Amino acid sequence: GQQVMQIPQYQHVQEGEDFTTYCNSSTTLSNIQWYKQRPGGHPVFLIQLVKSGEVKKQKRLTFQFGEAKKNSSLHITATQTTDVGTYFCAGDSNYQLIWGAGTKLIIKP
Amino acid sequence: DTEVTQTPKHLVMGMTNKKSLKCEQHMGHRAMYWYKQKAKKPPELMFVYSYEKLSINESVPSRFSPECPNSSLLNLHLHALQPEDSALYLCASSQFWTRYGEQFFGPGTRLTVL
């Protein structure tokens, strides 16, 4: 079946270091969404990418959608404690929203 | 108002009980969703309602019964659940369901089945 692979599963960073999570789809996507879920919380929409090669920025967050609309990435510059949580991508393919497994961002003490 | 509310926040039930989860949104969204989320896993779609009609049932067991009384309300009726059904149940809404757009999630109901 259709899958969206997301890596890594976890990333431990020192505060101030960068963080990146990647999603790769087995099929071409109509669009891809990114959500953040804080510990004990619910998913919160971050952004939706629609166009091939699209790049969008939200302050320290940079989102990219690949040229073939099969892969996407989220990069956070200079992580802060408020960035802690699990980041999910969710790809829209044939009226199915396929979720990646998530990448948990952990700030080292 | 950009909020999706869910009640109750926590629910403990026995395998013979009948209970209901409730979800409400007042954003005028015409698509509403039920998701199930296990620990350390992504949300798993259960049902989609579009314009108050059931559009998707992801092969969910009949012990889960959804209901959409009107465009603002979504219920999930639970009966004869199993311990493995213990999870966080999330309701979400979006403006339409033609192509998935931004989904607004409620805080969830944490369900424990004994």
Side-chain angles (χ1 to χ4, degrees), chain B residues 1-66:
Chain B
D1 182 4
T2 57
E3 191 180 37
V4 175
T5 59
Q6 286 188 248
T7 55
K9 288 187 178 179
H10 300 274
L11 179 62
V12 179
M13 61 187 289
M15 290 189 284
T16 58
N17 292 158
K18 285 184 181 181
K19 296 286 184 184
S20 297
L21 310 184
K22 296 186 183 303
C23 172
E24 192 166 2
Q25 58 89 12
H26 294 289
M27 294 177 277
H29 289 172
R30 304 317 300 263
M32 296 185 76
Y33 311 81
W34 280 114
Y35 285 90
K36 172 183 177 180
Q37 188 177 29
K38 291 279 209 177
K40 300 183 182 181
K41 296 290 186 182
E44 180 184 340
L45 184 66
M46 300 174 72
F47 302 103
V48 179
Y49 272 84
S50 178
Y51 288 88
E52 298 140 59
K53 291 186 179 176
L54 184 63
S55 298
I56 289 184
N57 176 342
E58 291 285 5
S59 303
V60 178
S62 60
R63 57 186 185 268
F64 295 91
S65 175

Side-chain angles (χ1 to χ4, degrees), chain A residues 26-40:
Chain A
S26 57
T27 59
T28 302
L29 301 170
S30 301
N31 62 70
I32 193 160
Q33 300 174 20
W34 286 90
Y35 290 84
K36 176 184 178 181
Q37 187 170 18
R38 294 178 185 271

Side-chain angles (χ1 to χ4, degrees), chain A residues 49-64:
Chain A
L49 305 172
V50 179
K51 297 177 184 175
S52 168
E54 191 167 15
V55 178
K56 287 189 176 180
K57 293 191 176 185
Q58 290 179 351
K59 297 183 180 178
R60 295 178 294 105
L61 279 62
T62 301
F63 303 85
Q64 296 190 12

Side-chain angles (χ1 to χ4, degrees), chain B residues 78-105:
Chain B
L78 314 173
H79 173 57
L81 295 192
Q82 303 296 310
E84 59 264 29
D85 296 322
S86 298
L88 179 67
Y89 286 84
L90 294 161
C91 174
S93 71
S94 65
Q95 190 172 14
F96 300 112
W97 181 67
T98 47
R99 270 287 182 248
Y100 285 95
E102 174 179 359
Q103 292 188 48
F104 293 78
F105 282 83

